[in-house]
Amino acid sequence: MNDILYNGKSKNVFPGPDKDSLIIRYKDTATAFNGEKKEELKGKGKINAAISNLIFTFLQEKGIKTHFIKEIDETSILVRKADIILVELIVRNTAAGSFSKKYGISEGIELKNTVLEFSLKSDSLGDPMINISQITAIGIAERKELSLMIDMAEKINILLTDLFLKAEIRLIDFKLEFGRCGNEIVLCDEISPDSCRLWDLQTGDKMDKDRFRRDLGNVMEGYGKVLDRLKRII
Ligand SMILES: Nc1ncnc2c1ncn2[C@@H]1O[C@H](COP(=O)(O)OP(=O)(O)O)[C@@H](O)[C@H]1O
Ligand SMILES: [Mg+2]
């Protein structure tokens, strides 16, 4: 595969077989803190691709529109080419990470309602939090697109919270990306332990990228457990 279109932090993007598709290939590279911390984690690409593919297929079967077309090989997928909306949507069920830090709420405190946060997708600006009026004011997305994204995120949260519970995993929070495909808004990018916080329901052990961020060790063991448990229930 040549003609790389985009060399991302954790994936590479290549042209697809036609103009409306792309090939995304997962890499073993792990990054955190806006790329400051970076390491190769052997096997991460394969595991994240497998987890994300299971989840996207599951969501699609439940009526969520996604970019996923099919698996090409262990690390590569064929997707619908989208015009990525340059905001990330973070969904939080339990306080953790930047939310805990910013608002002084201990990690692990169950939130009284689901929290939705937008952040600008900009590595150079450090992905700052942005509100709906700011997003529409600078022309990143229209209000009705954001409403659709919020509706989809809420549905995805209900579906995934239940799915992970069946796998004895607590879905603490996760990040979503969306794109425009024709006249549709579709779920893009990935859903994996790189983009979610996932805690063991029984022990509270972290099974996600916080193992890498916080040097907790056994990063791939955590990711591997998530995949094994999902395979058992999907
Ligand atoms: N269906 C899609 N169409 C176009 N771009 C996509 C699609 N899905 C994901 N992308 C983009 O491809 C890139 C994937 O590589 P990644 O390593 O995540 O990059 P980044 O360093 O920007 O996070 C991201 O920039 C993501 O927004
Ligand atoms: Mg990314």
Side-chain angles (χ1 to χ4, degrees), residues 85-86 130 132-142 145 180:
I85 297 171
L86 293 177
I130 188 165
I132 289 175
S133 67
Q134 291 169 322
I135 296 170
T136 55
I138 59 181
I140 289 177
E142 288 174 15
E145 294 178 315
R180 304 176 185 95

Side-chain angles (χ1 to χ4, degrees), residues 12-67:
N12 285 329
V13 182
F14 301 90
D18 60 77
K19 65 171 179 40
D20 297 324
S21 66
L22 291 174
I23 292 167
I24 295 183
R25 185 190 280 167
Y26 287 74
K27 303 195 271 195
D28 284 348
T29 315
T31 67
F33 311 118
N34 205 9
E36 266 171 54
K37 184 177 165 84
K38 190 171 171 180
E39 242 172 75
E40 292 301 299
L41 297 176
K42 202 167 160 21
K44 181 171 83 81
K46 223 161 74 173
I47 293 182
N48 273 357
I51 293 172
S52 195
N53 294 348
L54 279 175
I55 292 177
F56 271 68
T57 306
F58 165 80
L59 290 175
Q60 217 146 250
E61 282 166 3
K62 299 287 179 188
I64 303 288
K65 298 231 175 348
T66 87
H67 71 163

Side-chain angles (χ1 to χ4, degrees), residues 178-218:
F178 295 87
R180 304 176 185 95
C181 249
N183 52 7
E184 286 182 334
I185 300 284
V186 301
L187 179 68
C188 290
D189 209 49
E190 71 177 287
I191 298 181
S192 75
D194 271 8
S195 63
C196 304
R197 283 197 173 86
L198 303 167
W199 295 1
D200 186 291
L201 190 63
Q202 304 304 337
T203 64
D205 283 353
K206 298 183 193 335
M207 305 160 88
D208 55 65
K209 198 161 99 172
D210 274 345
R211 299 208 71 82
F212 168 70
R213 282 191 199 97
R214 304 179 186 186
D215 296 317
L216 300 176
N218 299 323

